[in-house]
Amino acid sequence: MTNIRVAVVDDHPLFREGVIRSLGESPGLEIVAEGASGHDAVTIAENDAPDVMLMDISMPGNGLQAIQAVLEAQPNAKIVMLTVSEAGDDLANAVRMGAKGYVLKGIGSQGLAEVVKAVASGQSYIAPSLSARLVETLSRSSEARHDPFSDLTHREMEVLKLVASGLSNKRIAIALDLHEKTIKHHMTRIFTKLNVTNRTEAALALRDATREGSAEGTQARTI
């Protein structure tokens, strides 16, 4: 069988050398590259195409931020975060960004080798002590998600729908029997609440929200 090609990226030389030595002694694993920063991780992904890349979070270039760039350079790479961080947000962000594994640095050499092999085969791995924390963090994030359209008043929603239909401020004022200056005032508040900068972005935001709502309704009826 072909060996699993592994890269190790960590800015602590002694720790990195220990990981490389222990994994290199495990049958079926081959260390193909090492690095010490997010930039190194991307370069390794481009030049060495490892099957699995072990990355620290707290290193120059930020391991979390490097995940997307690594996957863009090598879409087939499986990323495992090897870190001391037990923070729920770090774990959740790593998973959202595409990491397939999240391992604490206290893991033994044999356990780490097993994780690498499992992830290389297509499985995901989260340190058992952190599984509940991941669920809790993701649930909290979902509850905190806010619909900006709920902040719009009835009149502001009326104005936005007319904007989305292509009407100018003057035509909207006529349709709603309001002064054009009042429409401009509503538009300013709409832009602020939706965090957009122009009419086109506001219209697109409404269109996207409407599509999402329709999709959720269809799914609910199907269920």
Side-chain angles (χ1 to χ4, degrees):
M1 293 178 62
T2 304
N3 285 342
I4 298 170
R5 295 164 49 81
V6 182
V8 181
V9 185
D10 191 292
D11 63 328
H12 292 87
L14 286 177
F15 178 80
R16 185 173 71 244
E17 291 169 9
V19 171
I20 290 172
R21 183 169 57 254
S22 63
L23 291 183
E25 295 172 352
S26 179
L29 302 183
E30 175 188 359
I31 306 299
V32 297
E34 62 177 288
S37 67
H39 175 74
D40 290 345
V42 177
T43 300
I44 290 170
E46 294 173 341
N47 298 336
D48 300 284
D51 300 311
V52 177
M53 180 178 291
L54 300 176
M55 292 203 307
D56 189 16
I57 288 179
S58 302
M59 63 180 181
N62 192 305
L64 286 176
Q65 294 180 7
I67 293 175
Q68 184 175 358
V70 167
L71 293 177
E72 288 176 354
Q74 180 59 29
N76 295 325
K78 305 294 194 306
I79 297 176
V80 176
M81 307 310 293
L82 182 55
T83 176
V84 298
S85 175
E86 299 184 34
D89 288 340
D90 283 343
L91 172 56
N93 286 332
V95 172
R96 289 192 189 103
M97 293 177 182
K100 297 301 182 183
Y102 196 96
V103 183
L104 297 178
K105 286 187 174 181
I107 192 171
S109 58
Q110 182 178 347
L112 181 58
E114 291 174 354
V115 169
V116 170
K117 292 174 181 178
V119 170
S121 71
Q123 301 178 47
S124 296
Y125 179 89
I126 303 295
S129 62
L130 299 181
S131 297
R133 191 166 301 175
L134 174 61
V135 173
E136 177 185 352
T137 302
L138 292 177
S139 298
R140 186 172 66 247
S141 175
S142 178
E143 292 172 358
R145 199 173 294 132
H146 178 66
D147 176 14
F149 290 93
S150 65
D151 293 335
L152 298 182
T153 64
H154 176 71
R155 178 65 82 186
E156 288 167 353
M157 183 58 76
E158 283 185 317
V159 171
L160 179 57
K161 288 180 178 178
L162 292 175
V163 168
S165 71
L167 295 186
S168 65
N169 285 351
K170 184 175 182 179
R171 296 291 299 276
I172 294 173
I174 294 173
L176 298 179
D177 194 24
L178 297 171
H179 292 294
E180 185 174 351
K181 183 177 180 181
T182 301
I183 301 302
K184 291 180 179 179
H185 173 71
H186 283 312
M187 290 303 303
T188 298
R189 292 179 57 82
I190 290 170
F191 290 172
T192 299
K193 291 180 179 181
L194 298 185
N195 193 29
V196 298
T197 58
N198 56 56
R199 301 167 69 87
T200 301
E201 290 180 3
L204 289 175
L206 177 62
R207 183 198 64 183
D208 292 342
T210 302
R211 286 180 176 176
E212 291 177 4
S214 298
E216 291 175 359
T218 300
Q219 184 179 18
R221 288 194 297 273
T222 301
I223 295 174

